[in-house]
Amino acid sequence: MESPAPGRAPTVLVVEDDDSYAEIVRLCLEESSVAHRFVYAANGRQALDYLLGRSAGGQAGERSSPHLVLLDLRMPGMTGFEVLQELRRNPETLRLPVVVLTSSESRTDIARAYEHHANGVLVKPMTYDESRALLRCVASYWLCHNQTPS
Amino acid sequence: MSRFLSVEDPETHALIEGLLEDELRRPSTPGELLVIAVQALSLARSRAAIRGVVSRTARALSGADGATFVLRDGAYCSYVDEDAISPLWKGSRFPLEACISGWSMLNRQAAVIPDIYADPRIPQDAYRPTFVRSLVMVPIRNDDPIGAIGTYWAEHHEASEAEVRLLQSLAGATSVALENVGLLDDLRESLEMLARQNDDLQHFIRMISHDLKTPVTNIGNYVGILETCVERSDEAGVRCAATGIAASSDHLGQLLRDLSRFLETGRDIAPTDRFSLGDLVHDVLTLHGSALERHDVEVVVDDRSPPWMADRARIGDVLQSLVDNAIRYRDPDRPLRIQIEASVDGNSLRCCVADTGRGLDPAHRERIFGVFQRLEDSGEGSGIGLSIARRIVEAHGGTIQAESDGPGRGARFCFTVPRILDPGKS
């Protein structure tokens, strides 16, 4: 079992409009045995509020800096591209590791994600075994091995 | 698109000009000149290229003082080209009944006039200021002429049968050339339309593939989760996975039903019902009665349009989608008021449905009409209502647009259908 660096468990923010799929990600990350804290945003607006510390519903916003953001591309309202654009425009979230996790295998979408300065692009696997394997790698790389700028 | 279809074809144009120039310069018989002209016309891909050949050849063939190339423009003859030392009529237009080219077209025969002042068919006053004394006019295409070729002289001139036959041959070749150009234009237009439809289709397929992939991905994953939970005898997990599968399966079913509805719409639209839009609105609102009451919605209807001529049931679907939309995207912080107005807008009939709902980002005005697009998470439906509404309106030859001053400022949807006047009165 791999462990992240000592200190508070790293946070993974999953931005995904389909809550059924978000549940799949949560289960896979749990199975990865890498300690982490799972946070879920159902749309771009919620994700930005969380990341930029914008108050939602009158609460005093505190900016949160997760270790990793897993971002869906095709969401109603704000698309993943628009979220990336907003994040990279802001000096506080410019360097935040954001990996796109999408159903789309379109070359155009993949290229566009990188143009919007995503740190990586992953395609949602269609079976649980593949999902587990993938997210185990993701957790290992991004939460244990990858050095974050902070 | 193949080069064959390009309108601007400078190489061919130059070739045609060249052919004619060479021939006109050297001493050749009328027969030889005609052959070259026919060759040149067969190469023409545009009306301009045809114009470049006809008058000049006609004049050279007859040794006339001037030659004209006339095309029929509805009830008028249009002198599209003229070859003369100083052209008399080029660029002019006259009613068919008032000119000799018109006579030739209407009567489908050549006019050979050695002395215009002795011929009742000629509008003498029109010719008096000119030097013209005799002329010959042959129609282009004998059944239903589309134009004419004329030659004229300053002196009295008796045109021989051979001369007239030469002009008629030229007219025949011109007719074929014009027909070719017409066919090429039609072909070009069809190809452009097909290319556009193909692009639309590709885009549509790409979107559908993606939208269908989402629930299928979920099902695939949840089946694996289900198996894992069964192995571990995790009952709660099993139930959870089963729910996930069921939900995604429903989602898939809904998408397929919507897709089917979308494809069916736009077919068999018959704009043959005459109805009052106000009455139709009333029917639609009655259907929504309970939803409107439940959410305490105020509706105001102002119909100032004359009777509509359209597919009543389909326009009813459009109104239903718009009212549906207004209710679904209402603003939780303020009461919902829907205003439906209808009026005449030029050659169209226009209906607008405005609401005090959540409004939308003006940047998304077009996106919301996309197939399967949802702008806000409303929890229900796959957002196909608006794309179907657009399909219906466009099948009538109309347009539909969304406007909003921004989130929180309500939205306004306006659609038009072309005004079809009652065929009973004309």
Side-chain angles (χ1 to χ4, degrees):
Chain A
M1 172 173 141
E2 295 177 282
S3 1
R8 232 178 52 175
T11 307
V12 178
L13 170 67
V14 172
V15 188
E16 169 63 66
D17 68 301
D18 180 359
D19 56 6
S20 296
Y21 190 75
E23 177 61 15
I24 294 168
V25 175
R26 191 189 69 74
L27 285 168
C28 289
L29 285 174
E30 215 174 71
E31 300 249 338
S32 76
S33 312
V34 174
H36 66 279
R37 204 176 126 240
F38 178 86
V39 177
Y40 169 57
N43 58 55
R45 198 95 273 144
Q46 275 182 24
L48 288 175
D49 287 346
Y50 177 80
L51 293 168
L52 296 172
R54 300 200 296 223
S55 65
Q59 284 174 316
E62 195 200 273
R63 201 173 61 79
S64 307
S65 205
H67 252 69
L68 173 68
V69 178
L70 290 174
L71 176 66
D72 187 15
L73 282 182
R74 301 205 167 269
M75 299 183 286
M78 273 192 113
T79 61
F81 299 116
E82 287 166 336
V83 172
L84 270 168
Q85 214 165 23
E86 197 58 41
L87 289 175
R88 297 324 186 201
R89 199 177 296 170
N90 201 303
E92 321 234 274
T93 49
L94 176 61
R95 290 174 286 262
L96 188 60
V98 178
V99 170
V100 162
L101 180 58
T102 177
S103 301
S104 172
E105 284 173 278
S106 127
R107 288 276 117 208
T108 328
D109 279 352
I110 294 172
R112 224 174 136 201
Y114 282 107
E115 276 158 33
H116 284 75
H117 307 293
N119 296 86
V121 176
L122 297 170
V123 175
K124 294 177 182 175
M126 313 239 328
T127 69
Y128 189 49
D129 283 343
E130 288 170 333
S131 294
R132 269 192 297 194
L134 179 65
L135 285 160
R136 195 178 305 129
C137 288
V138 167
S140 163
Y141 178 82
W142 289 99
L143 304 180
C144 298
H145 298 289
N146 188 52
Q147 300 296 311
T148 54
S150 51
Chain B
M1 234 181 304
S2 86
R3 187 186 152 280
F4 177 68
L5 292 177
S6 64
V7 177
E8 304 292 324
D9 191 359
E11 283 174 44
T12 308
H13 229 114
L15 186 60
I16 292 174
E17 293 281 304
L19 270 175
L20 207 56
E21 281 296 339
D22 289 342
E23 198 57 29
L24 289 172
R25 225 174 280 136
R26 69 186 198 93
S28 56
T29 65
E32 286 167 336
L33 177 56
L34 184 64
V35 163
I36 295 296
V38 167
Q39 232 183 333
L41 285 171
S42 73
L43 292 170
R45 304 240 192 292
S46 66
R47 288 181 181 83
I50 296 175
R51 271 201 298 276
V53 174
V54 179
S55 317
R56 289 169 72 192
T57 307
R59 187 175 171 204
L61 279 177
S62 332
D65 293 318
T68 56
F69 175 33
V70 186
L71 284 178
R72 181 169 181 168
D73 181 12
Y76 292 83
C77 7
S78 182
Y79 282 69
V80 298
D81 199 43
E82 187 173 352
D83 187 57
I85 296 176
S86 70
L88 298 165
W89 298 290
K90 179 170 172 173
S92 309
R93 223 161 85 106
F94 308 102
L96 284 170
E97 303 76 23
C99 58
I100 191 65
S101 54
W103 183 94
S104 162
M105 287 186 237
L106 291 169
N107 291 277
R108 304 168 192 214
Q109 49 177 285
V112 181
I113 304 173
D115 184 349
I116 62 168
Y117 296 107
D119 196 304
R121 294 172 291 185
I122 299 287
Q124 319 252 324
D125 295 328
Y127 280 77
R128 227 173 289 276
T130 72
F131 62 76
V132 177
R133 191 66 194 273
S134 21
L135 61 83
V136 172
M137 190 67 76
V138 307
I140 295 175
R141 204 169 82 182
N142 275 327
D143 55 306
D144 195 15
I146 51 176
I149 301 177
T151 48
Y152 57 82
W153 290 259
E155 310 278 309
H156 180 106
H157 175 86
E158 293 278 349
S160 66
E161 230 183 84
E163 208 181 292
V164 177
R165 267 211 297 279
L166 279 170
L167 277 183
Q168 282 171 331
S169 298
L170 180 62
T174 307
S175 167
V176 173
L178 285 169
E179 185 117 359
N180 276 350
V181 167
L183 287 172
L184 281 175
D185 282 347
D186 288 345
L187 189 59
R188 195 178 299 120
E189 232 180 83
S190 296
L191 284 176
E192 276 169 4
M193 187 180 74
L194 282 173
R196 270 196 311 269
Q197 284 180 345
N198 200 47
D199 284 340
D200 285 347
L201 198 61
Q202 299 261 3
H203 179 65
F204 190 71
I205 290 174
R206 218 173 296 131
M207 289 217 291
I208 292 183
S209 307
H210 186 275
D211 277 28
L212 291 176
K213 202 174 176 201
T214 302
V216 170
T217 300
N218 285 359
I219 291 173
N221 276 276
Y222 273 112
V223 162
I225 294 174
L226 185 68
E227 286 169 342
T228 308
C229 292
V230 164
E231 271 166 37
R232 298 177 188 165
S233 304
D234 175 359
E235 253 192 60
V238 166
R239 241 173 277 127
C240 180
T243 308
I245 293 170
S248 293
S249 180
D250 281 344
H251 184 195
L252 199 49
Q254 181 67 43
L255 283 177
L256 290 170
R257 269 191 297 277
D258 283 347
L259 187 57
S260 184
R261 252 181 81 202
F262 182 80
L263 289 171
E264 282 306 309
T265 313
R267 251 184 240 175
D268 308 329
I269 291 217
T272 54
D273 305 315
R274 234 169 139 249
F275 57 92
S276 139
L277 190 80
D279 287 348
L280 182 58
V281 169
H282 178 83
D283 289 348
V284 170
L285 291 174
T286 310
L287 273 171
H288 281 273
S290 50
L292 292 170
E293 226 183 85
R294 193 172 45 236
H295 298 294
D296 200 14
V297 184
E298 185 198 341
V299 186
V300 173
V301 182
D302 184 12
D303 179 18
R304 297 187 197 185
S305 61
W308 286 47
M309 187 83 169
D311 188 323
R312 191 182 195 275
R314 296 277 98 79
I315 298 294
D317 286 345
V318 172
L319 285 166
Q320 203 163 321
S321 277
L322 296 180
V323 172
D324 234 346
N325 211 61
I327 296 175
R328 187 176 300 166
Y329 294 107
R330 67 192 175 281
D331 190 330
D333 297 330
R334 55 184 181 156
L336 178 60
R337 183 171 181 272
I338 301 176
Q339 193 163 329
I340 305 178
E341 305 172 321
S343 58
V344 178
D345 182 14
N347 282 333
S348 315
L349 295 172
R350 183 192 183 83
C351 174
C352 292
V353 177
D355 65 59
T356 55
R358 260 178 257 174
L360 53 113
D361 186 344
H364 295 152
R365 279 172 59 216
E366 273 302 304
R367 249 174 79 190
I368 54 172
F369 290 104
V371 183
F372 304 136
Q373 292 286 320
R374 299 181 317 283
L375 231 31
E376 286 290 329
D377 183 19
S378 62
E380 319 147 30
S382 63
I384 200 150
L386 287 178
S387 48
I388 289 183
R390 173 164 270 181
R391 211 162 146 86
I392 292 172
V393 167
E394 286 180 352
H396 277 85
T399 59
I400 180 167
Q401 258 121 21
E403 284 158 22
S404 174
D405 288 330
R409 317 269 287 276
R412 199 171 118 105
F413 287 81
C414 292
F415 66 93
T416 63
V417 304
R419 193 172 175 188
I420 301 174
L421 296 166
D422 191 344
K425 1 174 164 156
S426 359

